[in-house]
Amino acid sequence: WVKKIPPRLYTQDMKIIEQKGKTVSFTDFRNRRRGSPVTFEEDVVVQRQDKQGKDLEDVSSWEGPHLIVKTTGYKDVLTSNYWRESADTMISETTVKDVTMRRKWKLMDL
């Protein structure tokens, strides 16, 4: 079974990323709306809610140049892996069970 997702839903996405050392903050920017920032510090639990109001906990760590975020609160653990592919490109891979969504992000200065 393959879930059909309108391409525009993901091709128009933006993230505002701020990094200071090993602390990284992501702010989603979708449909011309700026979301709330989520800041990840290594081994610090972040409690938040998703858009449907589900309580989640995120814990991040660094594996070399990769930021790994493990999210609990859903039926299965969600693992997100972020890294720079080049000076102007970031890759994100989000995995749940045996399914991975890979996205390529263009990095730009604001």
Side-chain angles (χ1 to χ4, degrees), residues 43-54:
D43 298 322
V44 174
V45 175
V46 175
Q47 296 182 337
R48 62 184 179 93
Q49 289 187 331
D50 69 6
K51 292 177 192 123
Q52 289 75 36
K54 183 124 182 110

Side-chain angles (χ1 to χ4, degrees), residues 5-61:
I5 299 172
R8 186 174 187 271
L9 182 66
Y10 288 108
T11 58
Q12 304 277 322
D13 270 6
M14 289 187 271
K15 280 190 185 299
I16 299 168
I17 304 168
E18 298 176 85
Q19 182 175 1
K20 292 180 183 144
K22 291 190 171 191
T23 300
V24 179
S25 177
F26 290 118
T27 305
D28 285 334
F29 193 82
R30 185 178 290 155
N31 296 327
R32 290 174 286 203
R33 291 190 186 139
R34 187 177 184 149
S36 299
V38 179
T39 301
F40 298 103
E41 296 179 66
E42 191 164 30
D43 298 322
V44 174
V45 175
V46 175
Q47 296 182 337
R48 62 184 179 93
Q49 289 187 331
D50 69 6
K51 292 177 192 123
Q52 289 75 36
K54 183 124 182 110
D55 291 325
L56 305 174
E57 283 191 356
D58 298 310
V59 177
S60 66
S61 61

Side-chain angles (χ1 to χ4, degrees), residues 5-6 13 21 47 51 61 70 76 79 85 88 97 99 105:
I5 299 172
D13 270 6
Q47 296 182 337
K51 292 177 192 123
S61 61
K70 296 209 180 273
D76 297 294
T79 303
E85 182 183 56
D88 64 349
K97 287 188 175 184
V99 178
W105 301 84

Side-chain angles (χ1 to χ4, degrees), residues 46-98:
V46 175
Q47 296 182 337
R48 62 184 179 93
Q49 289 187 331
D50 69 6
K51 292 177 192 123
Q52 289 75 36
K54 183 124 182 110
D55 291 325
L56 305 174
E57 283 191 356
D58 298 310
V59 177
S60 66
S61 61
W62 286 90
E63 293 180 11
H66 293 239
L67 174 65
I68 311 295
V69 180
K70 296 209 180 273
T71 303
T72 57
Y74 295 118
K75 182 179 174 186
D76 297 294
V77 174
L78 191 112
T79 303
S80 299
N81 182 356
Y82 302 89
W83 71 95
R84 280 187 183 235
E85 182 183 56
S86 66
D88 64 349
T89 307
M90 180 183 80
I91 303 293
S92 67
E93 290 183 344
T94 301
T95 303
V96 62
K97 287 188 175 184
D98 294 329

